[in-house]
């Protein structure tokens, strides 16, 4: 009996150690579980699960067994370690600014004990249009739309008329002008939304393309301004542009209509202007019919590129007719000669 008690006393520490080990092992086994993802919320609203979020957003990934997270990727693009914070039920992370897909970008969380993938819509920002070139043309002619976030483009329209998409990247779309378009605003639609370009495409009435039409003439203010309508470079559209060279301050070139043109049915004046380096920070004033009571002044902030202008008639006190369009040197400085190039002048 005494021997049995002695043996029991000897075994007791081992039994206690074994029990403690089993308990700790059970705890480790409980934590050594692959992660699970149950949803995504914003930091500002942690209770409402989102159906989609955007590139670059801060989000909270909800789930279980997330404490040992050491990597979060979105369609293979890994989030920065410094922008990832995890506990057992959530991972706070900033989505990278660009992802492979325009909409569907699965989230994969990797922990010490496994991975979990959650199919989720992470959208690129709404599209942005920076330029359309050229800003007028004939049916079936190809034009180029440049901007940002064009991935997954679903449609391009001229007004309500769909255009044929020839090709597209995330920053450029080539389309063909639909038949029957005189003037129209261009819209681009992606999974993230629709954007309309701020300037209208096309002309209702053309004043200068590769020269003036019948009934229009050039009229310099004096010998201090010259013009050349046969310049082949730079050109915005067509074969030639109009070079206007100012040789003195305040000089100007008039485009004169022999018979007044009614503005009924038109909204404003459109043209494109190109300024070389010597016109940087200088001014050009635009006005109609010889009246300086209402004018539009351009201060040249960009050189060596075509800039498109769309000026509603409200800038010119809503004239009932047009007899003159004037391009006026308006800096008043003494460094001459200086020149500008204008092209695609007309009414919309």
């Amino acid at each position: 009996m005494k021997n049995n008690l002695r043996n029991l006393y000897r075994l007791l520490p081992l039994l206690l150690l074994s029990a403690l080990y089993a308990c700790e092992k059970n705890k480790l086994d409980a934590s050594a579980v692959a992660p699970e993802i149950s949803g995504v919320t914003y930091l500002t609203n942690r209770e409402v699960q989102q159906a989609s979020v955007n590139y670059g957003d801060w989000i909270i990934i909800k789930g279980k067994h997330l404490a040992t997270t050491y990597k979060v990727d979105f369609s293979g693009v890994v989030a920065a370690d410094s922008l990832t914070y995890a506990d057992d039920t959530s991972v706070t992370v900033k989505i990278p600014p660009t992802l492979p897909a325009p909409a569907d970008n699965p989230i994969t969380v990797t922990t010490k004990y496994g991975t979990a993938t959650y199919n989720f819509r992470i959208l690129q920002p709404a599209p942005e249009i920076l330029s359309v070139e050229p800003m007028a043309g004939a049916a079936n002619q190809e034009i180029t739309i440049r901007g940002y976030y064009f991935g997954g483009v679903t449609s391009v329209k001229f007004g309500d008329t769909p255009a044929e998409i020839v090709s597209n990247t995330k920053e450029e779309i080539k389309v063909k002008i639909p038949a029957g378009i005189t003037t129209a605003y261009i819209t681009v639609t992606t999974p993230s939304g629709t954007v309309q370009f701020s300037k209208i495409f096309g002309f209702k009435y053309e004043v200068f393309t590769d020269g003036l039409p019948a009934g229009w003439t050039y009229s310099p203010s004096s010998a201090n301004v010259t013009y050349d309508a046969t310049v082949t470079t730079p050109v915005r559209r067509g074969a030639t542009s109009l070079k206007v060279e100012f040789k003195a301050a305040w000089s100007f070139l008039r485009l004169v209509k022999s018979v007044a043109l009614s503005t009924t049915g038109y909204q404003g004046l459109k043209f494109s202007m190109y300024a070389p380096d010597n016109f940087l920070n200088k001014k050009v004033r635009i006005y109609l019919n010889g009246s300086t009571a209402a004018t539009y002044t351009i201060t040249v902030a960009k050189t060596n590129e075509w800039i498109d202008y769309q000026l509603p008639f409200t800038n010119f006190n809503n004239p009932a007719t047009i007899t003159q369009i004037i391009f006026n040197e308006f800096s008043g400085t003494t460094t001459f000669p200086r020149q500008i190039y204008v092209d695609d002048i007309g009414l919309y």
Side-chain angles (χ1 to χ4, degrees):
M1 183 68 178
K2 288 181 179 179
N3 289 334
N4 288 338
L5 288 171
R6 289 193 194 99
N7 291 333
L8 181 60
Y9 290 144
R10 291 192 189 103
L11 290 172
L12 189 57
L14 294 174
L15 291 171
L16 290 171
L17 287 172
S18 178
L20 288 170
Y21 173 77
C23 183
E24 290 301 317
K25 185 176 183 299
N26 287 336
K27 288 181 180 178
L28 289 171
D29 289 342
S31 63
V33 178
E36 298 177 20
I37 301 175
S38 59
V40 172
T41 73
Y42 280 122
L43 275 68
T44 52
N45 192 342
R46 302 180 180 217
E47 303 305 319
V48 178
Q49 291 199 12
Q50 301 298 313
S52 66
V53 295
N54 299 318
Y55 291 8
D57 283 350
W58 277 98
I59 60 170
I60 297 177
I61 302 168
K62 297 293 189 72
K64 298 178 182 179
H65 317 299
L66 301 171
T68 61
T69 296
Y70 64 87
K71 184 173 74 171
V72 181
D73 73 76
F74 304 85
S75 287
V77 180
V78 179
D81 289 344
S82 60
L83 302 176
T84 304
Y85 312 92
D87 59 31
D88 192 56
T89 59
S90 68
V91 179
T92 301
V93 62
K94 187 174 185 181
I95 301 170
T98 58
L99 296 177
D104 298 310
N105 292 285
I107 302 170
T108 299
V109 171
T110 303
T111 73
K112 184 178 178 181
Y113 303 106
T115 64
T117 297
Y118 188 68
N119 291 321
F120 193 64
R121 287 176 64 79
I122 302 175
L123 306 175
Q124 68 186 356
E128 298 178 20
I129 301 175
L130 299 181
S131 67
V132 173
E133 296 179 10
M135 277 293 288
N140 213 42
Q141 180 182 334
E142 191 174 292
I143 67 166
T144 301
I145 303 168
R146 293 187 174 89
Y148 299 119
Y149 310 119
F150 292 155
V153 60
T154 54
S155 77
V156 176
K157 292 183 178 181
F158 288 65
D160 295 326
T161 305
E164 178 187 343
I165 298 174
V166 177
S167 64
N168 75 281
T169 67
K170 292 180 180 180
E171 297 183 349
E172 182 179 285
I173 309 171
K174 293 184 181 294
V175 301
K176 290 185 178 180
I177 302 169
I181 299 299
T182 302
T183 58
Y185 282 98
I186 294 174
T187 58
V188 171
T189 299
T190 72
S192 302
T194 298
V195 65
Q196 177 179 283
F197 191 41
S198 59
K199 297 181 177 66
I200 198 167
F201 177 86
F203 294 95
K204 290 182 178 179
Y205 182 94
E206 293 185 352
V207 175
F208 181 96
T209 50
D210 289 333
L212 293 177
W216 286 85
T217 56
Y218 305 100
S219 177
S221 59
S222 67
N224 287 327
V225 60
T226 59
Y227 67 92
D228 183 351
T230 63
V231 174
T232 58
T233 184
V235 172
R236 185 69 171 102
R237 183 172 67 103
T240 64
S241 66
L242 172 62
K243 177 182 178 181
V244 184
E245 184 163 272
F246 302 107
K247 298 180 179 180
W250 322 120
S251 55
F252 56 85
L253 177 68
R254 291 170 290 219
L255 307 182
V256 180
K257 181 78 165 65
S258 57
V259 177
L261 174 67
S262 171
T263 58
T264 301
Y266 304 116
Q267 300 176 58
L269 174 70
K270 283 181 62 179
F271 62 92
S272 299
M273 190 175 82
Y274 182 105
D277 287 336
N278 63 9
F279 229 100
L280 182 64
N281 297 323
K282 306 299 188 297
K283 295 178 181 181
V284 177
R285 182 172 65 164
I286 316 298
Y287 56 102
L288 304 178
N289 302 338
S291 172
T292 57
T295 67
Y296 185 89
T297 300
I298 298 168
T299 300
V300 175
K302 294 182 179 180
T303 59
N304 301 315
E305 63 179 281
W306 286 101
I307 305 295
D308 301 319
Y309 295 92
Q310 179 174 305
L311 308 180
F313 284 139
T314 52
N315 287 287
F316 310 108
N317 280 345
N318 294 311
T321 61
I322 293 177
T323 56
Q324 297 180 36
I325 301 171
I326 298 100
F327 294 88
N328 177 198
E329 196 291 319
F330 204 60
S331 301
T333 56
T334 57
T335 306
F336 291 96
R338 289 197 303 271
Q339 60 280 336
I340 59 170
Y341 301 82
V342 288
D343 203 350
D344 264 1
I345 308 170
L347 308 183
Y348 66 94

